[in-house]
Amino acid sequence: MIHTPLRLGMVGGGQGAFIGGVHRIAARLDGQFSLVAGALSSDPERARASAAELGIEAERSYASFQEMAEMEAARADGIQVVSIVTPNHLHFAAAKAFLEAGIHVICDKPVTSTLSDAKALAGIVAGAGKLFVLTHNYTGYPMVRQARQMVRDGLLGDLRVVQVEYPQDWLTEKVEDTGAKGAVWRTDPNQSGAGGSTGDIGTHAYHLARFVTGLELDALLADLDAFVPGRQLDDNANVLLRFKAVGGTPAAKGMLWASQVAPGNENGLRLRVYGTKGGIEWFQPEPNALWFTPFNQPKQLITRNGAGAMAAATRVSRIPAGHPEGYLEGFATIYAEAARAIRATREGGNMRSDVLYPGITDGVEGVAFVDACVRSTRANGAWTRLDL
Amino acid sequence: MIHTPLRLGMVGGGQGAFIGGVHRIAARLDGQFSLVAGALSSDPERARASAAELGIEAERSYASFQEMAEMEAARADGIQVVSIVTPNHLHFAAAKAFLEAGIHVICDKPVTSTLSDAKALAGIVAGAGKLFVLTHNYTGYPMVRQARQMVRDGLLGDLRVVQVEYPQDWLTEKVEDTGAKGAVWRTDPNQSGAGGSTGDIGTHAYHLARFVTGLELDALLADLDAFVPGRQLDDNANVLLRFKAVGGTPAAKGMLWASQVAPGNENGLRLRVYGTKGGIEWFQPEPNALWFTPFNQPKQLITRNGAGAMAAATRVSRIPAGHPEGYLEGFATIYAEAARAIRATREGGNMRSDVLYPGITDGVEGVAFVDACVRSTRANGAWTRLDL
Amino acid sequence: MIHTPLRLGMVGGGQGAFIGGVHRIAARLDGQFSLVAGALSSDPERARASAAELGIEAERSYASFQEMAEMEAARADGIQVVSIVTPNHLHFAAAKAFLEAGIHVICDKPVTSTLSDAKALAGIVAGAGKLFVLTHNYTGYPMVRQARQMVRDGLLGDLRVVQVEYPQDWLTEKVEDTGAKGAVWRTDPNQSGAGGSTGDIGTHAYHLARFVTGLELDALLADLDAFVPGRQLDDNANVLLRFKAVGGTPAAKGMLWASQVAPGNENGLRLRVYGTKGGIEWFQPEPNALWFTPFNQPKQLITRNGAGAMAAATRVSRIPAGHPEGYLEGFATIYAEAARAIRATREGGNMRSDVLYPGITDGVEGVAFVDACVRSTRANGAWTRLDL
Amino acid sequence: MIHTPLRLGMVGGGQGAFIGGVHRIAARLDGQFSLVAGALSSDPERARASAAELGIEAERSYASFQEMAEMEAARADGIQVVSIVTPNHLHFAAAKAFLEAGIHVICDKPVTSTLSDAKALAGIVAGAGKLFVLTHNYTGYPMVRQARQMVRDGLLGDLRVVQVEYPQDWLTEKVEDTGAKGAVWRTDPNQSGAGGSTGDIGTHAYHLARFVTGLELDALLADLDAFVPGRQLDDNANVLLRFKAVGGTPAAKGMLWASQVAPGNENGLRLRVYGTKGGIEWFQPEPNALWFTPFNQPKQLITRNGAGAMAAATRVSRIPAGHPEGYLEGFATIYAEAARAIRATREGGNMRSDVLYPGITDGVEGVAFVDACVRSTRANGAWTRLDL
C-alpha cells in the first residue's frame, strides 16, 4: 500500500501551547499526515510566527478558523482533516465550521464546554457524513486495547467492581493566579465548562472505564470540591458509579477519583476491573504492562508485544517488548486509527473492524458525565443519571 | 529493666483457627507474655488438645471463658491479661467477664457484633479500670507510626484528600459453602454482625485512616453489595467520607473501598493522604517503605530505620533497614505496647506518652462505622453520621 | 504433638549487640526454645545485666563459654542447644567446647574466621554426633524454598546463568572510626577473618545461590577492593563464577557482587537464575514474592501462600498470602528447622526429609569462598578453586 | 526559527526490518527530517516496494548505496544526511561512500564489524569534515542525561562502583535456525563481527556506563559463552571492569552483564553508579524515573520534567511529567541532536554546548570493547586493555 500523507490543518496550538505540540507529534509519528494549514492563534502575530516555525506556507496561515474552513474547502489541495486543540469553549464552533465545509475533524476533549453544545454537535456530525474523532488518547495504549479485549473475551467473567482514578498535583497551589495559560483557562468556567478536574481528567478516567469494560452507566453520585480557596471549578472529585446490569448478573459498581491537588501524582491514571473469574490493572506511568490476575492462579504481568499480548494490542504496537512506548505513541495511535478510517471512507467504507477511535457519542457522554457530577453534588450527593 | 513476662490467657484460638495463632506469635515475639491459661474452644476435646500442644497445664485449660475468668481471678498466679480471639459475637460477653474479674483485655476487632454491645462494653471498660486493647494491628507497623507523626508535625500541611482501601479476593467464590470455618462465621450475620467486608476489613481501613490523619468523621455515604449470590453480608463496600473541618480550612474528603471479591488482591491495605504541602502513601504488602511526596520536590521513599525515619517509627522497629519486618512484627508491637501500658498501670500510671494502642473508643467507632454504612446503603446512599 | 520448649543457651549477644537479639526473637517466635543460660558478654557487668534483662537466672549467667559448657553439661536440666552469636574469630572455640560437651550448636556465619579453623571444626562436628546449624537465615524465606524447589523440579530447565548480589551502604564512610562495635569487628582482620564484605554478606549471597541452584562451584575469579581509605578488609567484591557442568549441558556461569559502599542499598540481597526453560528472581526487601518467567509465557508473580506456592514454601509459612512475613520469620524458620532436627535426633533420627538447615559443610564452603576470593584477587584475578 | 526539514536518505531498512522503521519514526518525530531517498534493500523488488510505501520517488530509490551516494551528491536537492541501518558488516563501506560524497552520516551501532574497519572509518571521518552520529539511542533518554549531569555536578562524589547490565531473552532458543532475519545476521560472525551479545547489546551497556560516568576504562576481564548449542557468537557475557583512577581517589570498578538467554528479560538495560556521596539507578523499562540515593538521606525518585529534573534532562523532554516518554522519543532525541549539529555546521559551527550525540570515537571504542572481551575470554579471563 502506498499512502500519500493526509493533508491536515490545525486550529489552536500556537507557540507555548502544550497539547497542540502533542497533536503534531502524534500526527507525524506514523507518517500519515502532513500539516499544511493552520489557524494557530487568535493573536495574529503569534499565529504567523507559529505557522512559519512549523513550515506552513504563509498563505495557509489563517487569522480565524472560519476563514480557514472556507478557504481550504475551496482549494483543490485543501486540507482533508483538521485538528482542533483550543480551549474547550471554542471546540463547538470550530468543529461545526469544518464539518459543514466537508472536512473531517479530530478534536481534543471534552468535546464542548456545555452539554447543549455537545448534543447540537452530535446532530451536526450525523448530518455531515464526516468523521469526528475525539482524542481520548489513553485508549490508544496497546495494553488498554488488550484489557478491553480480555474483558470482551470473558477472561474476567461477569464484571463486579471497577476502580478508576486520575490524580494529578499541578493545581495544588493557585497556579492560575500566576497567569499560566493552561491553568487559567482550565479553571475558568467560561472557557472550560462546568467541570474542572471532572472535565479535564475525570472525562478521561470515565471514558477509559467505559472503553475497557463496555459497561453502561446507570447512575452516579458525586462529591466535588474546589479545595484551593477562590477556585471556581472542582479540583477534586469523589464519585460512586452504578452500572447497568448485564444479563442476569448483579450490576457492577465502581468508584472514580479525579484530583488536581494530590501532591506526588503527576498523571496517575489507573484502572482496575474485577470480575467473577479474574482482575486486571493498568497504570499510565508504566503503560507497557498489564496485570492479569485470574482467580486462584499466579498473577501475570503481560507486556506489550511480549508473551500473552493479543492481536488487539500488537496491531497498535510499533517496537519490540521491553522497549517502552509511551504517551505520544498512544496518542499517535488515535491519529493512525483516524487515518485508517478516513482512507476507508474514501475507499467506500471498507474499514477493518478492529479500527477503534472515540467519537462524538463518547464526547456527548463525557460532557454529560461532568454535568451529572455537578448536579449530583448540588443535590448533596444524589444518585444522578446522565442526561443523554 | 528486668521484666518477668506477663501471665496471659486466651479465649478462642484452638487448633485450626488463624487469628489465634497470630496472637500467640505476637505475644511471644518480644518475650513480654507467657501463655498459661486458655478456653481455646467450645469443643471440649479440641480445647484440651489445643492447650496441651501449647504447653498450657491441663488444670488451666477451661471449658468456658466464664469458668476461666472466675478460676484465674482466684489464683495468686492467675492471668493478668486475656486475649479474646473468638468470632465477633462472643467478644462482648467474654470481655465483660474478664474486665469484671479485674483482668486486662486484649481483643480482636471489630470489638462486638452490635453497636449496642459496643456501647455497653465501653461503659464496662470505664467502670473496670482495666486496660482494653483492640488489635487494629496495622497501627503497629513502624511506617504507619511515621505517617501519623508526619501528619502531626505538619509536613503535609492542611489535609484535603484521604484515599484508603482494603481489597481481598478470598471470597470471590462462595467459599463459605465449603464449610471453611473462617468464611462461615464471617459471612453469618449472627456471628459477624451487620457488616461483612465492612466489619472484617473496612473497620481496619477506617481506623488506619483515622489513626494516621487524626481527622474526625462528619458523615459517610455507602454503597454496599453482596456480589456472590446467596451471601447475606456485604462483600464489597464503596464509601465516601466527609471529615470535620479543622480550623478555618475546607473539610477534607475521602473514599474508602473494602472488597473481598477483587481477584489478585490478597491483603492490599493502602492509605494515601494529601494536604496542601505534600502527600504520603503506604501499602501493607511493602510495609517497610513510606512514600513522602512534598509538593514540588522529588518524591522520597523513606524506609523503616533508614534515613528520614523518625523516632515514632524507630522506637517500634526491631532490626536494621532493608531487612523487612512484616505483619507479625506489627501485630507484636500492639502486644508490646499493651505490655508497656499494663506495666505502667501497675507502676502507677507513668506510661510513656508515645505508647500507642487502639482502645475501646476506637472499637465503638468501628462498629458505628459498620452501622452507618449499612444505614446509608439502606437509604440508597444518604449521608449518614456515626451513632456514637 | 506436645512439645516442651528446648532449653537454649547463648554465647555473645549482650546488650547493644544486633544479631543476638535477632537470634532470641527467632528462637521465641515459634515457641520451640526457652532461653535459660548465657555467657552473653566478655564484660562481666554487661553479661550479668543482659542476663537479668532476659530473665536468665543469675546462677546460669556465666563469665565464659567454657564455664557455661562445663556447668550446663553437668546439670540434669542443662541446655540442650546453644546459640553462638559472637564475632567470627570466637566461633571456633565456643562451638568446639559445646560440641565436646554433648550440646547441639546453632552458630552465626561465617562459621569461623580462618579456613583451617573451619576444617578443624568440621572434624569435631563429625566426631561429636551433635547437630551443627549455621544461620544462613535467608534460606528460611518461604519463597527461597520455593525457588529451590522449582529448580529441582526442572521448571527452569538446564541452568545457564546465575546473578547474585548483596549490596549495602552502611560502610560508605569510615564508620568503624566512630567506635560502632559492629563496624569495628567486621573491619578487623583479627576478628572477622580475611574477608570484609565477602565474609559478612558475600558468604550469604554465595550460599543462597548454591542453595537454590544446587550447582557446585568449579572456580571463581575475584576483584576485591577496600574503597574506604585505611580500611583493611574488602568493602566491595566483584566476582565471576564458573559452575561445574551437570550432565552433558554447558557449564553454568555466574556473577556475584557484594558491597558495603553502595549508597541507597540497605540489604539488597537479590538472586536471579536463568535456564533453558525459564527464569526466577527473588529480592530480600520484597521477600514474599517470587518472579517466575517461563520462556515465551507471561511473567508470573508467585506470592507466599498464594496461588502457585508449593509445599516447600507453604510448610515454612505462618500467615496468609498478602500479610508480609519478613526477616525475623525467615530467621525463625532456621530455628524451627533446628528444633525439628534436634527432636528427631532424640527420637531416633526419623526426621522429615523436607527439613532443611545449613550445616558445617556449608560453613566450610563459605570460608573457602572468602579464602578463594582473597587468593584470586592477590593473583590479579586468576580463576581459583575452593580449597575444600 | 524556521526550519526546513533536512533531506534524509536511508541505506537498509526495507520491509520487514526492525531498526529501519525505528530510525524513520525517530527522524519524523520532531519534524526535522524528510526522507527523500533510499537504498532500502539489496533485493531490487523489495527496495522498490519499500520506497514506494514510504513515499520515496521511484527515481530516488537506488539499487545500491554506491549509486545513491553518487547520484544524490550530484543533485542540487540531494540528501544532506544518510541513515545507515544495515547489518554491521556493511556499515563501513556505506559510511565511507557517503562521507566521501560530502554527506553527513547517521549510523547504527556497532559502528563496524571489525576493529580495523572502525579505525579506518575514524580516519575517513576526520578527513571528511562531515558529521558522524552513532545511534547509541539510550543516551537520548532524558533521565540518562540527568544521571550524567548529576555525576558531573559531583552529586555522587568520587565514583567507586559501576554496575551495568543488558539482559534479553529472545535468543534463549536457536531462533536463527527458523530463518528469522534479525537473528540470522546477529549470530553470524561474517555479518555481525566477533561479538554476539557483546556487540549487539554489550556495546550499548558499555557506552551507557561511559556516557554517564565519564570514567575511562583501564582494562576489562571477560568470560563469554555461547550457551545455545551450535551458536557461533557469544550469547552471554560476564565482564569485570577496571576504570582509570581520577585524581588521587581509588580507581572505580565495575561489572557488566549482557545476555540474550535470560528468560523474562526483554530489554532490561539497567545502570547503577555509586560514589562517596550517593548513588543513582536507571532502568530502561521505566525510563522516566531516576533513583538518586544520597548517602544517609531518604531515597529520591526524580521524574522526567518533575521536581528535581535538571536542564540537561528537560531540554530533551517533550511532554509533562507523568506522561511517559519511551524508546522512540529517546531515539528521536539522537536525531534531533544530529539535526541541531548539522544546522550548526551549516551556520558556521555555533552549536550549543549542551548538544550531545555519540560519534565515531564512541564507535571505535565500542568495537574495541567487543574485541577486548573476545581476547580476554580466549586468554581464559585475562585483564585486557582496549586496542584503541
Side-chain angles (χ1 to χ4, degrees):
Chain A
M1 280 182 303
I2 304 173
H3 286 322
T4 312
L6 297 167
R7 296 184 298 279
L8 175 70
M10 182 167 279
V11 179
Q15 291 168 338
F18 152 58
I19 203 67
V22 167
H23 278 256
R24 286 191 293 268
I25 295 177
R28 271 198 301 263
L29 202 137
D30 292 315
Q32 299 288 323
F33 296 88
S34 176
L35 181 65
V36 295
L40 300 173
S41 175
S42 52
D43 171 343
E45 179 47 42
R46 216 161 65 96
R48 229 187 331 268
S50 302
E53 189 178 305
L54 293 166
I56 295 173
E57 292 173 25
E59 69 169 33
R60 297 179 82 175
S61 171
Y62 300 95
S64 71
F65 65 79
Q66 294 90 343
E67 184 191 8
M68 177 169 156
E70 185 182 341
M71 301 289 281
E72 288 290 322
R75 292 178 72 115
D77 66 347
I79 59 172
Q80 297 159 295
V81 53
V82 71
S83 291
I84 301 173
V85 298
T86 63
N88 305 341
H89 66 304
L90 303 173
H91 292 178
F92 174 75
K96 181 171 184 294
F98 286 94
L99 289 167
E100 292 179 351
I103 293 167
H104 300 295
V105 170
I106 299 173
C107 183
D108 211 85
K109 44 49 55 189
V111 68
T112 58
S113 57
T114 69
L115 185 51
S116 59
D117 274 1
K119 290 179 176 180
L121 186 57
I124 294 165
V125 170
K130 291 289 155 185
L131 279 181
F132 184 87
V133 176
L134 192 71
T135 50
H136 273 310
N137 56 290
Y138 304 103
T139 63
Y141 277 113
M143 300 318 280
V144 168
R145 299 284 179 106
Q146 166 112 5
R148 180 176 179 271
Q149 193 61 43
M150 294 176 83
V151 170
R152 291 164 73 96
D153 287 356
L155 295 175
L156 274 65
D158 298 326
L159 302 188
R160 288 169 168 170
V161 177
V162 178
Q163 295 284 342
V164 64
E165 62 184 37
Y166 196 151
Q168 296 180 326
D169 66 3
W170 69 297
L171 294 178
T172 292
E173 297 182 350
K174 200 139 183 272
V175 61
E176 58 265 43
D177 287 357
T178 66
K181 197 174 142 73
V184 168
W185 76 255
R186 278 183 178 81
T187 56
D188 174 2
N190 292 324
Q191 298 185 71
S192 197
S197 66
T198 42
D200 201 41
I201 51 177
T203 50
H204 274 309
Y206 176 76
H207 183 260
L208 181 67
R210 290 272 288 111
F211 179 82
V212 169
T213 68
L215 294 171
E216 293 179 31
L217 193 74
D218 180 29
L220 61 74
L221 187 159
D223 197 24
L224 307 188
D225 281 277
F227 276 113
V228 172
R231 184 166 290 163
Q232 292 181 269
L233 294 176
D234 65 87
D235 50 25
N236 191 81
N238 292 350
V239 187
L240 299 184
L241 306 173
R242 287 180 177 169
F243 295 98
K244 293 179 182 168
V246 178
T249 66
K253 298 291 183 73
M255 301 176 89
L256 182 153
W257 174 46
S259 186
Q260 296 165 323
V261 294
N265 293 280
E266 291 166 341
N267 282 286
L269 178 60
R270 185 189 302 266
L271 175 67
R272 295 176 287 180
V273 181
Y274 302 102
T276 51
K277 294 187 184 170
I280 49 173
E281 178 169 356
W282 180 81
F283 182 48
Q284 200 222 174
E286 296 164 13
N288 295 280
L290 177 71
W291 280 104
F292 172 48
T293 49
F295 185 57
N296 267 348
Q297 294 178 39
K299 304 175 209 297
Q300 294 181 16
L301 190 67
I302 301 175
T303 52
R304 189 187 46 74
N305 265 347
M310 295 171 160
T314 56
R315 70 167 281 272
V316 292
S317 294
R318 293 166 187 82
I319 47 176
H323 286 317
E325 291 194 17
Y327 174 89
L328 292 169
E329 288 81 356
F331 216 111
T333 290
I334 304 299
Y335 268 81
E337 298 284 58
R340 289 183 195 106
I342 290 169
R343 293 187 202 281
T345 301
R346 293 191 312 189
E347 294 153 10
N350 299 311
M351 187 166 70
R352 293 175 49 155
S353 65
D354 53 4
V355 170
L356 288 175
Y357 58 87
I360 185 63
T361 307
D362 303 284
V364 174
E365 188 167 337
V367 184
F369 165 79
V370 173
D371 169 76
C373 285
V374 171
R375 289 189 289 123
S376 176
T377 299
R378 286 189 185 142
N380 191 31
W383 287 103
T384 304
R385 289 209 154 74
L386 300 191
D387 174 8
L388 289 176
Chain B
M1 277 180 306
I2 305 174
H3 285 323
T4 310
L6 297 167
R7 294 183 300 278
L8 176 70
M10 181 166 280
V11 178
Q15 291 167 337
F18 151 58
I19 204 66
V22 167
H23 278 257
R24 287 191 292 267
I25 294 177
R28 272 197 301 264
L29 200 138
D30 292 313
Q32 299 287 325
F33 296 88
S34 178
L35 180 65
V36 295
L40 300 173
S41 175
S42 53
D43 170 343
E45 179 47 39
R46 216 162 65 97
R48 225 184 337 266
S50 302
E53 189 178 305
L54 294 167
I56 295 173
E57 293 174 24
E59 69 168 34
R60 297 178 82 172
S61 170
Y62 300 95
S64 71
F65 65 77
Q66 294 88 346
E67 185 192 7
M68 177 170 154
E70 185 181 342
M71 299 290 282
E72 288 290 322
R75 293 177 70 115
D77 66 347
I79 58 171
Q80 296 160 297
V81 53
V82 71
S83 292
I84 300 173
V85 297
T86 64
N88 305 341
H89 67 305
L90 302 173
H91 292 178
F92 174 75
K96 181 171 186 291
F98 286 94
L99 288 167
E100 292 181 350
I103 294 167
H104 301 295
V105 170
I106 298 173
C107 184
D108 212 85
K109 46 49 57 189
V111 67
T112 58
S113 56
T114 69
L115 183 51
S116 59
D117 274 1
K119 291 179 174 180
L121 186 57
I124 293 164
V125 170
K130 290 290 154 182
L131 279 180
F132 185 88
V133 175
L134 192 70
T135 50
H136 272 310
N137 55 290
Y138 305 102
T139 62
Y141 276 113
M143 299 319 280
V144 168
R145 300 286 178 103
Q146 167 111 6
R148 180 176 179 271
Q149 193 61 45
M150 293 175 83
V151 170
R152 292 164 72 97
D153 288 355
L155 293 175
L156 274 67
D158 298 325
L159 301 189
R160 289 170 168 169
V161 176
V162 178
Q163 294 284 343
V164 64
E165 63 183 37
Y166 196 151
Q168 297 180 325
D169 65 4
W170 69 298
L171 294 179
T172 292
E173 298 183 350
K174 200 141 185 270
V175 62
E176 58 266 42
D177 287 357
T178 67
K181 199 173 140 73
V184 168
W185 76 254
R186 278 183 178 82
T187 56
D188 175 2
N190 293 323
Q191 299 185 69
S192 196
S197 66
T198 43
D200 201 40
I201 51 178
T203 49
H204 274 310
Y206 177 76
H207 183 259
L208 181 67
R210 290 273 288 112
F211 179 82
V212 168
T213 67
L215 294 170
E216 293 181 32
L217 193 75
D218 181 28
L220 61 76
L221 186 158
D223 196 24
L224 307 187
D225 280 278
F227 277 112
V228 173
R231 185 166 289 161
Q232 292 181 270
L233 294 176
D234 66 85
D235 50 25
N236 190 80
N238 292 350
V239 187
L240 299 184
L241 306 173
R242 288 181 176 169
F243 295 98
K244 295 179 182 168
V246 178
T249 66
K253 298 291 183 73
M255 300 176 91
L256 182 152
W257 174 46
S259 186
Q260 295 165 324
V261 294
N265 292 281
E266 292 167 339
N267 282 286
L269 178 60
R270 185 189 302 267
L271 176 67
R272 294 176 288 179
V273 182
Y274 302 102
T276 51
K277 294 188 183 169
I280 51 173
E281 177 169 357
W282 180 82
F283 182 47
Q284 200 223 172
E286 297 165 12
N288 295 280
L290 178 71
W291 282 103
F292 171 47
T293 48
F295 185 57
N296 268 347
Q297 294 178 38
K299 303 175 209 297
Q300 294 182 15
L301 189 67
I302 302 175
T303 52
R304 187 187 49 73
N305 265 347
M310 295 172 159
T314 56
R315 71 167 279 274
V316 292
S317 293
R318 294 167 186 82
I319 47 176
H323 286 318
E325 290 194 17
Y327 174 90
L328 293 169
E329 288 81 356
F331 216 110
T333 290
I334 304 298
Y335 269 82
E337 299 284 58
R340 289 183 195 105
I342 291 169
R343 293 186 202 283
T345 303
R346 292 191 313 191
E347 293 153 10
N350 299 311
M351 188 164 70
R352 293 175 49 155
S353 64
D354 52 5
V355 170
L356 289 174
Y357 58 87
I360 186 64
T361 307
D362 303 283
V364 174
E365 187 168 337
V367 184
F369 164 81
V370 174
D371 169 76
C373 285
V374 171
R375 288 189 289 123
S376 176
T377 298
R378 286 189 185 142
N380 192 29
W383 287 104
T384 304
R385 289 211 155 74
L386 300 191
D387 174 9
L388 289 176
Chain C
M1 280 182 304
I2 305 175
H3 285 322
T4 311
L6 296 167
R7 296 183 298 277
L8 176 69
M10 182 167 278
V11 178
Q15 291 168 336
F18 152 58
I19 204 68
V22 166
H23 278 256
R24 287 191 293 267
I25 294 177
R28 273 197 300 264
L29 200 139
D30 291 314
Q32 299 288 324
F33 295 88
S34 177
L35 180 65
V36 295
L40 300 172
S41 174
S42 52
D43 170 342
E45 179 48 39
R46 215 161 65 97
R48 227 183 337 265
S50 302
E53 189 178 305
L54 293 166
I56 295 173
E57 292 174 25
E59 69 168 33
R60 298 178 81 173
S61 171
Y62 301 95
S64 71
F65 66 77
Q66 294 88 345
E67 184 192 7
M68 177 170 155
E70 184 182 342
M71 299 290 281
E72 289 291 321
R75 291 176 73 113
D77 66 348
I79 58 171
Q80 297 159 296
V81 53
V82 71
S83 291
I84 301 173
V85 297
T86 63
N88 305 342
H89 67 304
L90 301 174
H91 292 176
F92 174 75
K96 180 172 186 291
F98 286 94
L99 288 167
E100 292 179 350
I103 294 168
H104 301 295
V105 170
I106 298 172
C107 183
D108 212 86
K109 46 48 56 190
V111 68
T112 58
S113 56
T114 69
L115 184 52
S116 59
D117 274 1
K119 291 178 175 181
L121 185 57
I124 293 166
V125 170
K130 290 289 152 184
L131 280 181
F132 184 88
V133 176
L134 192 71
T135 51
H136 273 309
N137 55 291
Y138 304 102
T139 62
Y141 277 112
M143 299 318 281
V144 168
R145 298 286 179 104
Q146 167 112 4
R148 180 176 179 272
Q149 192 62 43
M150 293 175 84
V151 170
R152 292 164 72 96
D153 288 356
L155 294 174
L156 275 66
D158 299 325
L159 302 188
R160 289 170 169 169
V161 176
V162 178
Q163 295 283 343
V164 64
E165 62 183 39
Y166 196 150
Q168 297 180 325
D169 66 3
W170 71 297
L171 294 179
T172 292
E173 297 182 350
K174 198 137 186 270
V175 62
E176 58 265 43
D177 287 357
T178 67
K181 197 173 143 68
V184 168
W185 77 255
R186 279 183 179 80
T187 56
D188 175 2
N190 293 324
Q191 297 185 71
S192 197
S197 66
T198 42
D200 201 39
I201 52 178
T203 49
H204 274 309
Y206 177 77
H207 184 259
L208 180 67
R210 289 273 289 113
F211 179 81
V212 169
T213 68
L215 293 171
E216 292 180 33
L217 193 75
D218 180 28
L220 61 76
L221 186 159
D223 196 25
L224 307 187
D225 281 279
F227 276 113
V228 172
R231 185 165 289 161
Q232 292 181 269
L233 293 176
D234 65 87
D235 51 24
N236 190 80
N238 292 350
V239 187
L240 299 184
L241 306 174
R242 288 181 176 170
F243 296 98
K244 294 180 182 168
V246 178
T249 67
K253 299 290 183 75
M255 300 176 90
L256 182 153
W257 173 45
S259 185
Q260 295 166 323
V261 294
N265 292 281
E266 291 167 340
N267 282 286
L269 178 61
R270 184 189 303 266
L271 175 67
R272 294 176 288 180
V273 181
Y274 302 102
T276 51
K277 294 187 184 170
I280 50 173
E281 177 169 356
W282 180 82
F283 182 48
Q284 201 224 170
E286 297 164 11
N288 295 280
L290 178 70
W291 282 103
F292 172 47
T293 50
F295 184 57
N296 268 347
Q297 294 177 41
K299 304 174 208 296
Q300 295 182 16
L301 189 67
I302 301 175
T303 52
R304 188 187 47 74
N305 265 346
M310 294 171 160
T314 57
R315 69 168 282 272
V316 292
S317 293
R318 294 167 186 81
I319 48 176
H323 286 319
E325 291 194 18
Y327 174 90
L328 292 169
E329 288 82 355
F331 216 111
T333 289
I334 304 298
Y335 267 82
E337 298 284 59
R340 289 183 195 103
I342 291 170
R343 292 186 203 284
T345 301
R346 291 191 314 190
E347 293 154 8
N350 299 311
M351 188 165 68
R352 292 175 50 155
S353 64
D354 53 4
V355 170
L356 290 175
Y357 58 87
I360 185 64
T361 307
D362 303 284
V364 173
E365 187 168 336
V367 184
F369 164 79
V370 174
D371 169 75
C373 285
V374 171
R375 286 189 291 123
S376 176
T377 299
R378 286 190 185 143
N380 192 30
W383 287 104
T384 303
R385 290 211 153 74
L386 300 191
D387 173 9
L388 290 175
Chain D
M1 280 180 303
I2 304 174
H3 285 322
T4 311
L6 297 167
R7 296 183 298 279
L8 176 69
M10 181 167 282
V11 179
Q15 291 168 337
F18 152 59
I19 204 68
V22 166
H23 278 256
R24 287 192 293 267
I25 295 177
R28 273 198 300 265
L29 202 138
D30 291 314
Q32 299 287 325
F33 296 88
S34 177
L35 181 64
V36 294
L40 300 172
S41 175
S42 51
D43 170 343
E45 179 47 41
R46 215 162 66 97
R48 226 180 340 261
S50 302
E53 190 178 305
L54 293 167
I56 295 174
E57 292 173 25
E59 69 168 34
R60 297 178 83 174
S61 171
Y62 300 96
S64 71
F65 65 78
Q66 293 88 343
E67 184 192 7
M68 177 170 156
E70 185 181 340
M71 300 289 281
E72 289 290 322
R75 292 177 72 114
D77 65 348
I79 59 171
Q80 296 160 297
V81 52
V82 70
S83 291
I84 301 173
V85 297
T86 63
N88 305 341
H89 67 305
L90 302 173
H91 291 178
F92 174 75
K96 180 171 185 293
F98 287 93
L99 289 167
E100 292 180 351
I103 295 167
H104 301 294
V105 171
I106 298 173
C107 184
D108 211 87
K109 43 51 56 189
V111 69
T112 57
S113 57
T114 69
L115 184 51
S116 59
D117 273 1
K119 290 180 175 179
L121 186 57
I124 293 165
V125 171
K130 291 289 154 183
L131 279 181
F132 185 88
V133 176
L134 192 70
T135 51
H136 272 310
N137 56 289
Y138 305 102
T139 62
Y141 276 113
M143 300 318 280
V144 168
R145 299 286 179 104
Q146 166 112 7
R148 180 176 179 270
Q149 193 61 44
M150 293 176 83
V151 170
R152 291 165 72 96
D153 288 356
L155 294 175
L156 274 66
D158 299 324
L159 302 189
R160 289 170 168 170
V161 176
V162 178
Q163 296 283 342
V164 64
E165 63 185 36
Y166 196 151
Q168 298 180 326
D169 66 3
W170 70 297
L171 294 179
T172 292
E173 299 183 349
K174 198 139 186 270
V175 62
E176 57 267 42
D177 287 356
T178 68
K181 199 173 140 72
V184 168
W185 76 254
R186 279 183 178 81
T187 56
D188 174 2
N190 292 324
Q191 298 186 70
S192 196
S197 67
T198 42
D200 200 41
I201 51 177
T203 49
H204 274 310
Y206 177 75
H207 183 260
L208 181 68
R210 289 274 287 113
F211 179 82
V212 169
T213 67
L215 293 171
E216 293 179 32
L217 193 74
D218 181 28
L220 61 75
L221 186 159
D223 196 24
L224 307 188
D225 280 278
F227 276 113
V228 172
R231 184 166 289 161
Q232 291 181 270
L233 293 176
D234 65 86
D235 52 24
N236 190 81
N238 292 349
V239 187
L240 299 184
L241 306 173
R242 287 181 177 168
F243 295 98
K244 293 180 182 167
V246 178
T249 67
K253 298 291 183 76
M255 301 176 90
L256 181 153
W257 174 46
S259 186
Q260 295 166 324
V261 294
N265 293 280
E266 292 166 339
N267 282 285
L269 177 61
R270 183 189 301 269
L271 175 67
R272 295 176 287 180
V273 181
Y274 302 102
T276 51
K277 293 186 184 172
I280 50 173
E281 178 169 355
W282 180 82
F283 181 48
Q284 199 223 173
E286 297 165 11
N288 295 280
L290 178 71
W291 281 104
F292 171 48
T293 49
F295 185 58
N296 268 346
Q297 295 177 39
K299 303 175 211 297
Q300 295 181 16
L301 189 68
I302 301 175
T303 52
R304 188 187 47 73
N305 265 348
M310 295 171 159
T314 57
R315 71 167 280 274
V316 291
S317 293
R318 294 166 187 82
I319 47 176
H323 287 317
E325 291 194 17
Y327 174 89
L328 292 169
E329 288 81 355
F331 216 111
T333 290
I334 303 300
Y335 268 81
E337 298 285 57
R340 289 183 195 104
I342 290 170
R343 294 186 200 285
T345 301
R346 293 191 312 190
E347 294 153 9
N350 298 311
M351 187 166 70
R352 294 176 48 155
S353 64
D354 51 5
V355 170
L356 288 175
Y357 59 87
I360 185 64
T361 307
D362 303 284
V364 174
E365 187 167 337
V367 184
F369 164 79
V370 173
D371 169 76
C373 285
V374 171
R375 288 190 288 122
S376 177
T377 299
R378 286 190 185 142
N380 192 30
W383 287 105
T384 304
R385 289 210 154 74
L386 301 190
D387 174 8
L388 291 175

